[in-house]
Amino acid sequence: MKWATREKEIKTDEKNRKKVSEHQRRSGSKKKTKGNRCGKTKNERKTSKVAVMSSLVQYYEGIDAVAVIGNYLPRRCGIATFTTDLVEALSAEAPDISCWAAAMNDKPEGYPYPEKVRFEINQNKLSDYSMAAQFLNISKTDIVCVQHEYGLFGGPAGSHLLKLLGDLRMPVVTTLHTILKDPAPENRAVMSKLSDLSDKLVVMSRKASDFLKDIYAVPEEKIAFIHHGIPDTPFIDPSFYKDKFGVEGKKVLLTFGLLSPNKGIENVLQALPAVIKKHPDVTYIILGATHPNILKFHGDAYRIMLQQLVRKLNISEHVIFQNRFVELKELCEFLGLADIYVTPYLEEAQVTSGTLAYAMGAGKAIISTPYWYAAEMLAEGRGRIVPFHNPDAMAEQIIDLLGSDVDRHAMRKKAYMFSRNAVWKEVSRKYLQVFREVQLSRTRYPRPRYSYVENIKAITNFELPEIKLDHLKAFTDDTGMLQHANYTIPDRTHGYCTDDNARALLVAAMGQKYLPTNGLGLDFLSSHYLGFLLYAFNEKKGRFRNFMSYSRQWTEEIGSEDAHGRAIWSLGKAVSFLQNPGHLAMSTTLFNKALQAVENFHSPRAVAFCLVGIHAYLDKFSGDSDVRRIREILANRLFDQFENNGTDDWPWLENALNYANGKLPHALLLSGQWIQRSDMLDMGLRSLKWLLTIQTEDGHFVPIGNNGWYEQGGPKARFDQQPVEANAMIEACVEAFNVTRDKSWLDNAVMCFNWFLGHNDLNMSLYDPKTGGCRDGLMADGINQNEGAESSLAWLLSLMTLQKLYTDEILNQPSSQETD
């Protein structure tokens, strides 16, 4: 209730000031003289101005510094424009406040930012979020204002942001640019925690406010409505700028914004032939460059499709494509020349639109499809709504408005007058009011500091290295990933293998799921590794080949069961993780073809690899009954091998320990969960504990060496220790934690991970931070300096597993709604 009370106080103060102003105006009117504006003397006007400024200062008294987090120009996107405009407007309205920005970067090198940007955050780099929080706390920032949009922040559903906000000491005001009506579980979790960590949530439509209350259970007093900011442009005749852009004497339709397939511009183009028959002087301007993310991953396919449609409809003389990003001054001129502004979006799920707000602020007659923001803003005659995907209705409304100057100009005026509260001057004042409210509330009602990672100190007591793919890319050519290395140089003598290309596909697929991929090129790499596996599959035999020479000659017709199992493992993960439709279809097809052979597999590791892949596949296609049947067969086979061979002193399915041992209990833990077998879970946990016991000395991980392995009753080989062993144990320990929530498993996972970083028998790091690769092993006389594919991929998979665990645990911490 304290929020509502404070808002009521401010509204009452504002109403009283208006009454005083009205009283002064009426009193002064009796003494009005020539040259005396508003009936006031020069001193009175000066006093009045000081009073107004004084009242404004009340809104931000006690605030010395505000930091705004978001994209920033010259990065080209709507959020960058909004953040830049907000920072500039706050600075203009409250010049005594130091207002600056922390900019989100989608590429490591960032952008040539202006001085207002004082800190940069790599959206992919978790450590940057911690450093940003530290910087904000040290810099004595009073308020942090976050511009939240999906895709801006790293981690699942942007969860990296929660780490930053959880470490801040000052109040946080978060502006929500998108609110999902039907959120996925991880999106819902992030939004709930974002609400917890924010002192106020700013929305730009009433619909958005309703969603927060009804879907995310956000208290009403935590929500503030503030219009989307717009430039303060004059109400001008559309003919004023037409000659400048070569459309003098034309009736101009306009759509602007970064181009993407959800804009629905094709529906306007399909409406144009009918419009041209009635109004042959019509011209449609499509203003805006293709969205950078669309361009990167899909090219200019949408624009090309639109251009082809223009030719097909024979309307080329009536359509102008302006393929560029325009600055504010020129944008306002384009808006000025438009007779009708059109937003033909294809779906309703949009709670704000900067382009629509700009058009209304410029006093445009507007025709739009009924997405949420448009339906709200264009009500009461401020615009016209047409159904989605309906060119005929679009044409009818355009023809009617172009034919009725009276209706068009009445609509323009309504839109323009409605938007006066949305000019940046007014919007910045609203933000300053909210900032002051949350600051006062924090002093009166202190809140505990959040730390969503308090329960996983085993991970946060050191900084995880950054994902670096240089070495992976250096070893990948147009065939696939090369196997071996001479030091850090690819050794082409040994060619390629299915084992390593399957592991590489795992890295690329996992990276696309859990890391923002801007600049990493993982989609491109996935196509190479999938192509290799496709070529490796022997259709006649139903099996994968494994080894290929550098001259692309297979050295065998059928590879080992283990190689086949690794391919199944990677393809199952690819099905679960990949979003590219072609890659997903190929992974699914190849997975199902290759799965037919595995029912007869008896190699324990091959069975375990297959089970991990099968579980990932079923996470995507849980209803595939044939795959479920095969899972049960393989899970029972692996369990029976453990039960028939294991003893109290040697709870293992073989009479020796050799390679990738951790993958066997890992498969049991997954299977026991999904087919609801507690005995499988118990066997998996018991065997994993035993593995840790015999591979731990003096608090560090000592994997079984491959120079003799470990026969039951015999000596345990100390060297050579291999990275693949550490990786298998890390993944198994993380799964054990997921099953039991026993945090000792986190300690064990971190212990195994630290083996890479030098906490090992020789106190020497195997990870090479310069290349991003990993050395091939720990030998009695030192490090094997070669950085081959298996070792480097084991490192990358281990690092990704811990980074994913970190973000998963942030999401798993209960929000206030869950604990109430």
Side-chain angles (χ1 to χ4, degrees):
M1 290 301 295
K2 58 182 179 290
W3 302 94
T5 302
R6 176 60 187 157
E7 288 180 82
K8 187 175 180 181
E9 288 172 358
I10 289 173
K11 287 176 181 175
T12 302
D13 289 345
E14 208 165 61
K15 189 182 292 183
N16 289 337
R17 280 194 297 274
K18 287 180 179 177
K19 286 181 179 178
V20 170
S21 297
E22 179 65 14
H23 175 72
Q24 290 173 341
R25 185 187 69 80
R26 289 176 177 173
S27 299
S29 64
K30 297 177 181 178
K31 302 177 183 179
K32 189 172 181 180
T33 60
K34 184 177 179 181
N36 188 4
R37 290 172 294 172
C38 301
K40 295 180 182 179
T41 66
K42 184 176 180 180
N43 287 335
E44 286 174 331
R45 291 197 304 273
K46 184 175 180 180
T47 302
S48 177
K49 184 176 181 181
V50 170
V52 171
M53 292 302 296
S54 176
S55 67
L56 289 175
V57 169
Q58 293 177 23
Y59 293 150
Y60 57 85
E61 185 179 5
I63 300 175
D64 297 318
V66 173
V68 184
I69 300 174
N71 297 352
Y72 209 90
L73 294 176
R75 184 174 174 180
R76 294 182 172 182
C77 70
I79 301 298
T81 301
F82 185 96
T83 306
T84 305
D85 289 345
L86 177 59
V87 169
E88 293 296 335
L90 290 170
S91 299
E93 191 63 24
D96 295 336
I97 293 179
S98 171
C99 188
W100 55 277
M104 301 303 303
N105 286 334
D106 60 348
K107 55 184 182 180
E109 65 272 23
Y111 298 85
Y113 294 116
E115 291 182 359
K116 282 289 187 182
V117 174
R118 289 180 52 195
F119 198 88
E120 298 178 38
I121 302 170
N122 183 334
Q123 68 181 42
N124 302 331
K125 193 174 179 181
L126 187 60
S127 60
D128 274 18
Y129 292 81
S130 297
M131 286 190 291
Q134 187 177 10
F135 183 84
L136 287 161
N137 289 330
I138 291 173
S139 63
K140 297 181 179 179
T141 303
D142 296 301
I143 302 289
V144 167
C145 183
V146 178
Q147 303 308 307
H148 182 269
E149 178 61 284
Y150 292 98
L152 260 64
F153 307 101
S159 57
H160 283 4
L161 175 64
L162 302 179
K163 166 61 178 167
L164 190 163
L165 300 186
D167 288 342
L168 293 179
R169 298 170 187 162
M170 70 289 293
V172 175
V173 174
T174 300
T175 304
L176 301 175
H177 291 262
T178 295
I179 302 173
L180 301 176
K181 183 181 180 182
D182 299 302
E186 60 186 20
N187 287 322
R188 181 186 291 274
V190 167
M191 185 59 73
S192 295
K193 292 169 177 59
L194 186 61
S195 172
D196 283 347
L197 291 165
S198 301
D199 296 75
K200 203 79 161 178
L201 298 175
V202 174
V203 297
M204 292 173 271
S205 66
R206 306 297 179 185
K207 190 79 167 180
S209 178
D210 292 341
F211 281 176
L212 286 178
K213 291 181 288 187
D214 299 340
I215 300 170
Y216 299 93
V218 177
E220 184 171 3
E221 61 267 22
K222 203 168 199 177
I223 304 168
F225 170 79
I226 303 177
H227 278 293
H228 189 296
I230 58 172
D232 192 357
T233 56
F235 187 83
I236 63 170
D237 188 283
S239 299
F240 188 81
Y241 287 114
K242 286 184 178 180
D243 59 335
K244 181 175 180 178
F245 294 96
V247 288
E248 189 173 11
K250 303 287 187 181
K251 295 174 180 174
V252 178
L253 313 179
L254 174 69
T255 296
F256 88 87
L258 293 172
L259 211 59
S260 59
N262 67 336
K263 297 297 185 182
I265 292 170
E266 61 273 20
N267 289 308
V268 184
L269 295 177
Q270 290 166 354
L272 275 185
V275 175
I276 292 167
K277 287 181 181 178
K278 294 286 187 179
H279 301 279
D281 55 349
V282 73
T283 294
Y284 181 33
I285 298 177
I286 301 167
L287 173 65
T290 300
H291 195 290
N293 290 341
I294 298 295
L295 200 59
K296 179 174 289 186
F297 297 111
H298 303 286
D300 228 348
Y302 182 61
R303 185 183 299 276
I304 292 169
M305 182 275 287
L306 295 176
Q307 290 169 340
Q308 292 298 318
L309 181 59
V310 167
R311 293 187 185 95
K312 180 181 177 181
L313 295 172
N314 195 26
I315 55 175
S316 298
E317 293 183 0
H318 299 270
V319 179
I320 299 173
F321 286 92
Q322 291 278 354
N323 184 10
R324 57 200 180 92
F325 186 88
V326 296
E327 300 298 331
L328 178 61
K329 180 178 182 296
E330 190 177 9
L331 173 59
C332 291
E333 291 174 353
F334 269 106
L335 282 168
L337 64 81
D339 294 283
I340 297 177
Y341 185 77
V342 188
T343 56
Y345 299 163
L346 297 179
E347 297 176 350
E348 66 176 358
Q350 191 159 337
V351 293
T352 187
S353 168
T355 62
L356 180 61
Y358 273 44
M360 293 183 70
K364 295 293 101 180
I366 298 171
I367 299 174
S368 176
T369 50
Y371 57 93
W372 295 322
Y373 188 68
E376 181 175 317
M377 295 293 284
L378 300 180
E380 299 178 1
R382 295 187 291 268
R384 292 192 182 179
I385 298 293
V386 298
F388 294 111
H389 310 283
N390 196 326
D392 291 340
M394 180 72 71
E396 181 181 344
Q397 291 299 328
I398 293 172
I399 291 168
D400 185 60
L401 269 184
L402 288 178
S404 176
D405 292 345
V406 173
D407 289 347
R408 194 169 68 253
H409 292 312
M411 184 187 297
R412 292 182 59 211
K413 186 175 180 181
K414 286 181 180 180
Y416 187 80
M417 296 307 297
F418 178 82
S419 301
R420 293 311 86 203
N421 287 330
V423 297
W424 275 115
K425 185 178 184 67
E426 297 298 326
V427 166
S428 62
R429 288 181 179 179
K430 293 287 187 183
Y431 271 96
L432 289 168
Q433 290 175 28
V434 170
F435 295 163
R436 183 57 176 155
E437 286 174 38
V438 297
Q439 187 185 54
L440 288 173
S441 179
R442 183 70 74 92
T443 58
R444 295 170 182 171
Y445 306 97
R447 58 190 294 181
R449 185 180 172 192
Y450 282 89
S451 182
Y452 280 113
V453 292
E454 199 62 32
N455 293 327
I456 51 171
K457 288 182 179 177
I459 294 175
T460 57
N461 62 9
F462 69 96
E463 198 68 63
L464 289 172
E466 183 181 359
I467 296 282
K468 189 173 184 179
L469 300 179
D470 295 18
H471 197 66
L472 176 71
K473 293 176 180 178
F475 273 63
T476 301
D477 61 17
D478 59 351
T479 299
M481 189 167 191
L482 291 151
Q483 284 190 79
H484 293 296
N486 266 321
Y487 297 97
T488 61
I489 307 302
D491 183 355
R492 291 170 171 79
T493 305
H494 300 283
Y496 316 84
C497 68
T498 293
D499 286 328
D500 289 334
N501 278 274
R503 293 185 182 103
L505 178 60
L506 275 173
V507 168
M510 190 173 183
Q512 287 180 75
K513 175 68 174 179
Y514 295 109
L515 300 171
T517 57
N518 292 340
L520 298 182
L522 293 174
D523 187 73
F524 180 74
L525 291 172
S526 294
S527 67
H528 280 65
Y529 308 137
L530 269 173
F532 186 95
L533 293 182
L534 177 63
Y535 188 48
F537 188 67
N538 187 329
E539 293 274 1
K540 292 180 180 179
K541 304 290 186 179
R543 291 283 298 276
F544 285 98
R545 308 173 181 93
N546 194 11
F547 297 107
M548 175 195 279
S549 69
Y550 186 63
S551 60
R552 297 185 180 179
Q553 301 298 313
W554 291 108
T555 63
E556 61 197 358
E557 285 298 301
I558 296 177
S560 66
E561 287 188 2
D562 284 12
H564 194 100
R566 282 193 189 89
I568 291 287
W569 173 15
S570 70
L571 288 168
K573 292 285 189 180
V575 170
S576 179
F577 293 159
L578 295 180
Q579 299 297 317
N580 182 307
H583 293 178
L584 175 59
M586 184 71 261
S587 301
T588 304
T589 300
L590 193 53
F591 176 90
N592 282 291
K593 285 183 178 180
L595 196 64
Q596 303 310 309
V598 307
E599 284 190 62
N600 299 317
F601 282 8
H602 290 276
S603 162
R605 283 158 189 78
V607 169
F609 296 151
C610 287
L611 281 169
V612 176
I614 285 171
H615 286 294
Y617 172 89
L618 288 173
D619 189 52
K620 182 87 170 185
F621 299 117
S622 58
D624 193 325
S625 55
D626 193 47
V627 176
R628 291 161 67 96
R629 178 186 63 80
I630 294 172
R631 174 177 66 181
E632 188 155 358
I633 291 171
L634 295 182
N636 284 324
R637 183 173 298 158
L638 186 64
F639 177 78
D640 290 345
Q641 288 176 321
F642 268 95
E643 194 161 62
N644 294 336
N645 196 69
T647 65
D648 290 340
D649 296 332
W650 188 268
W652 199 245
L653 74 173
E654 298 171 312
N655 295 325
L657 287 173
N658 42 64
Y659 69 95
N661 298 303
K663 195 54 62 181
L664 304 176
H666 185 189
L668 285 178
L669 291 173
L670 285 169
S671 301
Q673 291 174 78
W674 293 108
I675 61 178
Q676 299 183 353
R677 287 276 299 274
S678 60
D679 53 348
M680 279 188 188
L681 284 173
D682 292 341
M683 183 72 77
L685 292 170
R686 181 185 170 207
S687 58
L688 184 56
K689 285 179 182 177
W690 178 73
L691 282 178
L692 281 165
T693 299
I694 63 174
Q695 294 185 105
T696 302
E697 290 189 21
D698 299 325
H700 69 268
F701 182 55
V702 185
I704 301 297
N706 69 358
N707 189 15
W709 303 115
Y710 181 22
E711 296 280 347
Q712 186 176 4
K716 182 169 54 175
R718 192 79 177 196
F719 299 99
D720 295 345
Q721 299 175 21
Q722 302 291 300
V724 71
E725 305 305 319
N727 171 239
M729 290 297 290
I730 289 166
E731 293 182 354
C733 288
V734 168
E735 191 56 42
F737 170 70
N738 291 336
V739 172
T740 65
R741 308 304 295 176
D742 180 348
K743 292 176 181 58
S744 66
W745 290 112
L746 293 181
D747 296 327
N748 291 321
V750 171
M751 177 189 70
C752 296
F753 182 80
N754 280 336
W755 177 87
F756 286 103
L757 300 178
H759 195 195
N760 50 48
D761 279 344
L762 302 183
N763 291 324
M764 299 178 73
S765 176
L766 285 87
Y767 167 56
D768 183 351
K770 183 175 181 180
T771 66
C774 178
R775 299 171 180 98
D776 277 351
L778 204 64
M779 303 183 295
D781 58 352
I783 296 286
N784 182 337
Q785 295 294 334
N786 298 328
E787 297 182 15
E790 178 184 284
S791 304
S792 296
L793 291 165
W795 157 256
L796 286 171
L797 287 168
S798 300
L799 179 56
M800 285 183 171
T801 297
L802 284 197
Q803 288 199 347
K804 176 183 180 297
L805 172 65
Y806 185 98
T807 53
D808 283 351
E809 284 312 293
I810 290 176
L811 291 176
N812 285 334
Q813 300 305 307
S815 64
S816 62
Q817 290 99 322
E818 296 165 327
T819 56
D820 285 348

